[in-house]
Amino acid sequence: MSIQDCNIIDLPRITDPRGNLTFVEANRHIPYDIRRVYYLYDVPGGAERGGHAHKALHQLIIAMSGSFDIHLDDGCAKKTIHLNRSYNGLYVCPMIWREIDNFSSGAVCMVLASDYYDESDYYRNYSTFIIDVKKTVK
Ligand code: TYD
């Protein structure tokens, strides 16, 4: 898998003068079951989150409110995506180094994850991540 597999998913939108509604269904709008939801909020100006990769975890990242930038790196290529719509989700496949920054005031970053929290699924060190990426490419 590479950053070419990491794309914006345009989620369904039920627009209504009373307020809009968006929903996400596991294995329909995203290619996995959802086992965990977490969110980042009260992020101070200038803060950076992420700075890691996952071995097996799939994620959908949604800007529920406000905006932020997500920098993706699969060890070969990089791309940056600005998320600012609550009906868009960025699908991030396993083995992608990600950093999130440029949070707007009041931004809320929600993540729909394919598995429970497991520290052993993380690469916290970029060099170790790159060594393992090169092994799988060979
Ligand atoms: P981390 O994944 O490094 O946060 P981010 O990618 O947003 O910068 O997690 C920060 C801390 O929170 C770390 O100590 C692990 C803990 N944590 C949990 O206990 N459960 C979770 O579901 C997540 C995502 C993190």
Side-chain angles (χ1 to χ4, degrees):
M1 291 203 205
S2 72
I3 56 170
Q4 284 177 357
D5 301 300
C6 301
N7 288 311
I8 294 278
I9 295 177
D10 207 14
L11 297 165
R13 245 185 300 170
I14 313 290
T15 55
D16 190 307
R18 298 171 301 159
N20 300 333
L21 183 153
T22 282
F23 56 96
V24 186
E25 293 181 347
N27 290 305
R28 289 189 175 166
H29 306 121
I30 52 174
Y32 57 87
D33 278 328
I34 300 163
R35 280 220 170 121
R36 176 169 51 114
V37 177
Y38 67 91
Y39 34 96
L40 301 170
Y41 53 97
D42 292 345
V43 180
E48 289 180 17
R49 301 292 313 217
H52 62 251
H54 288 284
K55 295 172 188 171
L57 195 73
H58 299 255
Q59 295 179 308
L60 187 79
I61 304 177
I62 301 173
M64 296 301 284
S65 183
S67 64
F68 44 82
D69 292 338
I70 307 180
H71 309 279
L72 301 177
D73 175 355
D74 63 9
C76 297
K78 298 180 186 198
K79 70 178 173 189
T80 293
I81 286 152
H82 183 68
L83 278 185
N84 63 352
R85 301 279 179 225
S86 17
Y87 54 83
N88 280 164
L90 175 65
Y91 168 65
V92 182
C93 63
M95 297 302 284
I96 304 290
W97 189 269
R98 89 289 310 275
E99 284 163 16
I100 310 177
D101 62 12
N102 196 25
F103 286 88
S104 69
S105 164
V108 178
C109 170
M110 183 176 76
V111 181
L112 309 182
S114 63
D115 214 339
Y116 304 121
Y117 171 72
D118 176 6
E119 187 60 35
S120 70
D121 185 64
Y122 279 75
Y123 289 98
R124 298 266 184 201
N125 180 287
Y126 185 73
S127 309
T128 313
F129 165 68
I130 292 297
I131 288 166
D132 279 7
V133 164
K134 302 293 176 202
K135 276 187 209 157
T136 41
V137 168
K138 275 181 191 168

